[in-house]
Amino acid sequence: MQSTEELYRTYSADLFRYLVFLTHDPDRSEDLLMETFLHAITASGKFRGESSVKTWLFGIARNLWMQELRRLRRPAEEYLIRSYMEFSPEDTFDIRETLAAVKRLLSQKDERARQIVLFRMNGYAYAEIAQNLGISENSARVIEFRTKRWLLNEMKKEGLEWTKSHARSSGI
């Protein structure tokens, strides 16, 4: 495995963007980034090489974030949905109603589409999804795009809308 310094130079920018995607808070993301690399240093002997180093680091970052949510007693599922659907903290809506709608609507999709969306919610890269599902990376992207667009349109039909800027950025 690379030295800690090389790992940081290679992956810190991608990890930081991922953490900002999860937290919507650059300051907290910076703290989690540092915690991720500290954890990686202490756990480097546990890296088994079953995934790429990048995947391993992203897993550490996600686990640290999930631990923080549990410590703060915030439902992680809410944050996954909020991040995936590109809701910002300023958006006002009933998150429980929205979460229920997302789950109900996703249950109408085929298993592969549901799996792809769940993988993406959990921070998996398209290449990893493609490998896990035995499809091309491009297929994973297209299926996820179409499923997300369908989901947003269905939610809009049900009156579960949020700010227009988020709908625009999601392609609606």
Side-chain angles (χ1 to χ4, degrees), residues 107-137:
S107 72
Q108 296 174 26
K109 300 304 282 179
D110 65 275
E111 180 64 22
R112 184 172 62 179
R114 280 194 310 269
Q115 285 182 319
I116 290 169
V117 168
L118 292 174
F119 276 130
R120 288 296 295 159
M121 280 184 187
N122 285 291
Y124 284 82
Y126 290 108
E128 294 171 302
I129 295 168
Q131 185 178 9
N132 282 323
L133 298 179
I135 60 176
S136 72
E137 189 174 333

Side-chain angles (χ1 to χ4, degrees), residues 95-105:
I95 191 65
R96 288 185 195 100
E97 181 182 352
T98 303
L99 181 59
V102 168
K103 287 180 175 180
R104 179 178 41 76
L105 290 168

Side-chain angles (χ1 to χ4, degrees), residues 61-91:
R62 182 181 177 279
N63 288 337
L64 289 170
W65 176 68
M66 298 291 276
Q67 287 172 7
E68 181 175 294
L69 292 179
R70 280 191 292 276
R71 190 172 57 249
L72 297 172
R73 293 195 173 111
R74 293 181 182 160
E77 193 171 47
E78 173 185 323
Y79 282 84
L80 289 173
I81 297 270
R82 183 180 288 276
S83 294
Y84 181 75
M85 297 302 294
E86 299 175 7
F87 298 137
S88 73
E90 303 87 50
D91 291 321

Side-chain angles (χ1 to χ4, degrees), residues 15-17 19-34 89:
L15 274 167
F16 180 74
R17 280 190 296 276
L19 288 165
V20 169
F21 168 78
L22 291 175
T23 66
H24 298 285
D25 181 348
D27 293 330
R28 186 64 202 126
S29 297
E30 186 66 38
D31 292 342
L32 285 169
L33 179 67
M34 292 303 120

